[in-house]
Amino acid sequence: MSKKRILTGYRPTGRLTLGHWFGNLLNMRELQDEYEAYYFVADWHALTSDWQDTHAIRQYTEEMVLDWVAAGIDPAKATIYRQSDVQEVAELTMYLSMVAPMSWLERVPSYKEQREQISEKDLGNVGFFLYPLMQAADITIVRGAVVPVGEDQIPHLELTRELVRRFNGQYGDLLVEPQAIIAKQGARVPGLDGRKMSKSYGNAIYLSETEEETTKKVMSMVTDPARKLKTDPGNPDICPLHQIHKLIGDAADVAEWDRCCRVADCGCVAHKRKLAEDLNAYLSDFRERRAELAKNPGYAWEVLADGAARVRPAVSELMGDVRRAMHVDSGV
Ligand code: TRP
């Protein structure tokens, strides 16, 4: 039996963090065996909000691809491509824009929220308004996609499904309604300051940074604020050090650090040293592969070109059907 097709895209954000590792990379790695996986870099989606500063998009794309592959996403199994290399996505977005009522797009919660909350970027552009429409094109252009989504993306998937029904009602049964699967909730990884790990908070540990950088960052982490002195008992449940250690450390070791923190038998500085050591060991295979891949400067672009070539047949077939149904082909 042929495998179902799964599709997911990420905006190019550059080097990935330990938060991405537990939040989605492990999941992507698992899904590539179960499904025919299509993983793409949504560089046009990055443009919708960052159109005033596009200089880093190419570099971010390349770094993200290297991180994916070093993390075990295998270009021989998963088709890895760049959205902008499949130009028909823009064409299909335009066709979808014919059937999409403006009010549907105005109602998308992420659109309303981001317009209200983000003031440092100009999001009054049409491109940003079209964000969910372009996402619907990404999905439907590869027909029959299962899309693993986090909570925040559910309205986009709903919109896609509604659009597909409206489009098919008008032009015939051409597009497939995607099926959303709720992505297994990856672990939430705290950053150096205890808030969610995020590039924009400046509290992130990058997968590809050096051991020295990781050690320095771990030594600067916040711990239980109530534990001022080594003799004060601590609460591991609210300490980011423990939360990260639980994800990457040896279970017996972690239990022992938990115990000795609660009874003030060991200090935070010693625990930081241990966490840094364990984290560097945990990431060493990844880092070795990443460094190896980076030696070949064209590698990420070869992966993307190969991926684009692999999606092209399915895309051409679908677009042929769509153009014919809308009478924008030659008619012969
Ligand atoms: N909207 C997604 C995000 O913000 C990125 C994305 C673009 C996507 N196109 C997609 C995700 C298609 C799944 C399917 O992260």
Side-chain angles (χ1 to χ4, degrees):
M1 207 186 77
S2 70
K3 290 179 177 173
K4 275 197 187 170
R5 196 170 282 170
I6 202 163
L7 166 118
T8 188
Y10 290 96
R11 280 165 294 167
T13 49
R15 295 191 297 158
L16 300 179
T17 69
L18 197 63
H20 295 114
W21 179 269
F22 287 104
N24 41 49
L25 288 170
L26 295 182
N27 208 23
M28 286 166 81
R29 200 165 76 185
E30 209 173 293
L31 292 169
Q32 72 181 347
D33 291 318
E34 232 174 288
Y35 291 91
E36 182 191 354
Y38 283 35
Y39 296 148
F40 70 97
V41 182
D43 58 338
W44 279 341
H45 275 107
L47 288 182
T48 66
S49 54
D50 294 346
W51 59 276
Q52 287 160 310
D53 181 11
T54 69
H55 79 281
I57 289 183
R58 220 189 292 114
Q59 181 201 335
Y60 283 179
T61 298
E62 181 170 351
E63 285 175 343
M64 201 158 88
V65 170
L66 293 179
D67 280 350
W68 281 358
V69 177
I73 293 162
D74 179 356
K77 292 182 189 164
T79 299
I80 298 173
Y81 62 100
R82 179 170 71 158
Q83 184 182 37
S84 61
D85 286 328
V86 185
Q87 298 193 351
E88 291 90 336
V89 167
E91 188 184 352
L92 186 56
T93 301
M94 196 212 18
Y95 297 149
L96 291 175
S97 79
M98 305 303 161
V99 305
M102 286 179 50
S103 60
W104 288 11
L105 292 173
E106 283 160 354
R107 275 205 305 266
V108 172
S110 59
Y111 178 71
K112 286 199 295 200
E113 266 165 41
Q114 296 190 28
R115 282 300 304 275
E116 282 162 19
Q117 284 169 20
I118 297 181
S119 55
E120 71 279 10
K121 292 178 189 172
D122 176 357
L123 300 179
N125 52 326
V126 175
F128 186 69
F129 184 63
L130 294 182
Y131 187 111
L133 209 57
M134 190 151 72
Q135 184 164 352
D138 291 329
I139 297 170
T140 52
I141 208 158
V142 298
R143 239 181 207 149
V146 174
V147 186
V149 286
E151 292 283 325
D152 63 315
Q153 295 293 314
I154 288 175
H156 291 174
L157 260 286
E158 254 333 294
L159 178 81
T160 303
R161 293 167 63 87
E162 277 172 318
L163 269 174
V164 166
R165 292 196 285 270
R166 195 168 159 100
F167 183 96
N168 288 349
Q170 188 69 39
Y171 302 110
D173 245 348
L174 294 175
L175 304 183
V176 177
E177 271 187 56
Q179 204 191 324
I181 53 169
I182 303 294
K184 228 191 305 169
Q185 206 47 55
R188 178 187 172 278
V189 181
L192 305 176
D193 56 2
R195 291 187 292 171
K196 182 177 184 263
M197 186 177 284
S198 160
K199 183 174 180 162
S200 54
Y201 291 158
N203 66 359
I205 292 171
Y206 291 93
L207 300 172
S208 59
E209 66 192 22
T210 63
E211 295 197 348
E212 291 70 30
E213 284 170 306
T214 297
T215 302
K216 206 168 139 208
K217 286 180 182 176
V218 171
M219 297 310 291
S220 78
M221 280 177 71
V222 302
T223 54
D224 176 358
R227 195 174 186 206
K228 293 205 172 57
L229 302 171
K230 198 172 153 184
T231 47
D232 297 331
N235 178 5
D237 300 335
I238 59 162
C239 174
L241 221 56
H242 283 85
Q243 285 158 18
I244 294 184
H245 207 181
K246 254 194 251 171
L247 293 168
I248 58 104
D250 169 78
D253 252 8
V254 172
E256 173 52 21
W257 283 99
D258 188 290
R259 185 203 63 78
C260 74
C261 168
R262 287 180 200 278
V263 297
D265 246 2
C266 51
C268 296
V269 174
H271 192 189
K272 287 178 182 178
R273 256 187 235 113
K274 171 67 174 159
L275 176 63
E277 195 184 297
D278 285 2
L279 196 49
N280 282 328
Y282 181 82
L283 292 173
S284 75
D285 283 352
F286 169 91
R287 286 173 174 168
E288 213 173 290
R289 279 196 300 270
R290 178 70 161 78
E292 201 52 45
L293 295 173
K295 279 188 195 154
N296 175 353
Y299 179 75
W301 301 104
E302 283 165 29
V303 168
L304 291 171
D306 179 56
R310 275 152 57 187
V311 282
R312 201 149 284 134
V315 165
S316 301
E317 193 198 310
L318 177 89
M319 291 309 291
D321 292 350
V322 167
R323 290 180 199 121
R324 220 168 295 122
M326 296 179 84
H327 304 124
V328 289
D329 67 334
S330 68
V332 291

